Amino acid sequence: MSTREVIVATIARAHGLRGEVGLILRTDVPEERIVPGAVFTAATAGGERTLTVASVRSQQDRWYVRFDEVADRTDAESLRGVELPMTVDEEVEAEEDPDAWYPDQLTGLAVRHVDGRELGTVVDVQHYPAQDLLVVRTPQRTRVQLPLVEELVPEVDLEAGVVIADPPGGLFEELPADADDDAGRG
């Protein structure tokens, strides 16, 4: 059995007065991983802390959770930015979704345009509430933030060690600006 520690969510701001917090999801299957009774051992400013999910709810595509160990807003606010890790079995995960990948597997992969041109190498993955960003170091040694969305990153091939990208013109120096962008100027 091969296991991997993954971050399933990052705690956002407190919500209400009784210790509920918002979550920034970092998993595709929160309904399986963030459930009542799930226990997370989280690294906090005050040291390692056990957090047991007491309740979960979603509202307008946002997830909120209460932990047994968090009784009030002050304690909830102290958890802002804390990541919730979980150990998963890589073999089971691969069987369930053979095309799945984890952010740390992307670092070091080559990034190529859909037409085959080399765009650079993934040096980091940054996590934001709206979407994740691939940080790509170009051959010219500049850094480009490429939104990690299917429209712009249609394929991640771990076996081949490549990320296929279709970024808008102008994002990378090598790519000309879109003709539509130039048409409006004059």
Side-chain angles (χ1 to χ4, degrees), residues 121-135:
T121 304
V122 177
V123 294
D124 194 13
V125 179
Q126 296 177 341
H127 307 284
Y128 292 96
Q131 67 204 13
D132 292 340
L133 297 173
L134 290 180
V135 179

Side-chain angles (χ1 to χ4, degrees), residues 1 35 47 69 73 85 99 132 136 141 158 166 170 174-175:
M1 179 170 98
V35 296
E69 299 81 3
R73 183 178 183 88
D99 295 327
D132 292 340
V136 180
R141 311 292 296 166
L158 294 178
D166 190 10
E174 305 73 44
L175 301 175

Side-chain angles (χ1 to χ4, degrees), residues 11-184:
I11 298 175
R13 62 188 180 101
H15 187 79
L17 300 174
R18 297 188 179 164
E20 187 176 54
V21 294
L23 296 180
I24 299 168
L25 297 178
R26 304 228 334 246
T27 178
D28 291 341
V29 287
E31 63 282 349
E32 294 177 16
R33 298 186 177 184
I34 305 169
V35 296
V39 178
F40 297 96
T41 303
T44 69
E48 197 170 89
R49 186 164 175 188
T50 299
L51 297 171
T52 307
V53 176
S55 65
V56 179
R57 68 182 180 88
S58 64
Q59 178 179 357
Q60 298 176 338
D61 294 327
R62 292 192 175 134
W63 281 62
Y64 299 94
V65 66
R66 271 192 340 88
F67 298 106
D68 288 335
E69 299 81 3
V70 179
D72 59 33
R73 183 178 183 88
T74 302
D75 196 11
E77 275 296 335
S78 74
L79 296 174
R80 190 175 197 166
V82 170
E83 297 178 330
L84 300 178
M86 176 178 278
T87 302
V88 297
D89 183 324
E90 288 184 306
E91 294 168 12
V92 170
E93 297 283 308
E95 286 175 16
E96 291 177 2
D97 187 358
D99 295 327
W101 43 263
Y102 298 101
D104 66 326
Q105 292 175 302
L106 302 180
T107 303
L109 294 185
V111 180
R112 291 203 171 75
H113 192 274
V114 290
D115 67 9
R117 287 181 281 176
E118 179 185 351
L119 296 175
T121 304
V122 177
V123 294
D124 194 13
V125 179
Q126 296 177 341
H127 307 284
Y128 292 96
Q131 67 204 13
D132 292 340
L133 297 173
L134 290 180
V135 179
V136 180
R137 185 178 56 233
T138 69
Q140 295 78 25
R141 311 292 296 166
T142 60
R143 289 178 177 241
V144 174
Q145 292 181 322
L146 176 64
L148 188 49
V149 295
E150 190 171 358
E151 181 179 302
L152 303 180
V153 182
E155 184 179 351
V156 173
D157 188 340
L158 294 178
E159 287 183 24
V162 67
V163 172
I164 303 299
D166 190 10
L171 185 60
F172 286 83
E173 291 176 14
E174 305 73 44
L175 301 175
D178 290 337
D180 292 344
D181 291 346
D182 294 335

